[in-house]
């Protein structure tokens, strides 16, 4: 029974890391969508319309970035779009990994190094996804 619980705990941790990677790569569209939803709801547009419009804004932003990277051949535009997506992805990956590391190990250099390497890898993953 203990071995089964250990296996389930490891599977849950790996699933949480996979979810962290997926959310970190899409940090910019998700963040913009959340801010849009709060802004629209705060200005009296209603909860349902705020959520639907925020989903539309987030999906449009993600789709536009992918389209620009695929069809625009100007290096400056491609690098700007990639940089705008990589920076929030790296920060979100660093912060999420730091939270997981501080749950599993004491505060110190090992947690910071693991978070820095994970943030860097998540930023690279976001850049490879776009370009």
């Amino acid at each position: 029974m203990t071995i089964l619980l250990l296996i389930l705990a490891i599977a849950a941790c790996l699933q949480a890391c996979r979810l962290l990677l997926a959310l970190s790569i899409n940090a910019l569209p998700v963040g913009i969508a959340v801010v849009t939803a709060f802004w629209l709801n705060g200005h009296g547009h209603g909860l349902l319309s705020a959520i639907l419009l925020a989903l539309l804004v987030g999906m449009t932003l993600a789709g536009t970035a992918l389209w620009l990277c695929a069809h625009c051949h100007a290096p400056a535009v491609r690098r700007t779009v990639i940089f705008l997506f990589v920076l929030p992805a790296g920060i979100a990956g660093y912060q999420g990994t730091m939270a997981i590391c501080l749950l599993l190990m004491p505060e110190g250099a090992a947690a910071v190094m693991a978070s820095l390497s994970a943030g860097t890898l998540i930023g690279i993953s976001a850049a490879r996804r776009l370009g």
Side-chain angles (χ1 to χ4, degrees), residues 2-16:
T2 305
I3 294 174
L4 180 64
L5 290 176
L6 182 63
I7 291 171
L8 285 174
I10 290 172
C13 185
L14 290 175
Q15 185 68 14

Side-chain angles (χ1 to χ4, degrees), residues 42-128:
H43 283 81
H45 290 281
L47 187 61
L48 182 62
S49 63
I51 290 172
L52 292 176
L53 286 172
L55 284 172
L56 181 66
V57 166
M59 289 188 298
T60 303
L61 179 62
T64 303
L66 289 172
W67 185 83
L68 275 175
C69 285
H71 292 92
C72 185
H73 299 293
V77 173
R78 289 180 55 121
R79 287 186 186 129
T80 303
V81 170
I82 289 173
F83 178 74
L84 287 175
F85 272 75
V86 166
L87 188 64
I91 292 170
Y94 172 81
Q95 294 294 331
T97 307
M98 180 63 90
I100 292 173
C101 284
L102 291 179
L103 287 174
L104 300 175
M105 66 178 77
E107 191 174 340
V112 172
M113 291 304 293
S115 299
L116 281 174
S117 60
T120 303
L121 289 175
I122 289 172
I124 291 171
S125 297
R128 295 208 32 130

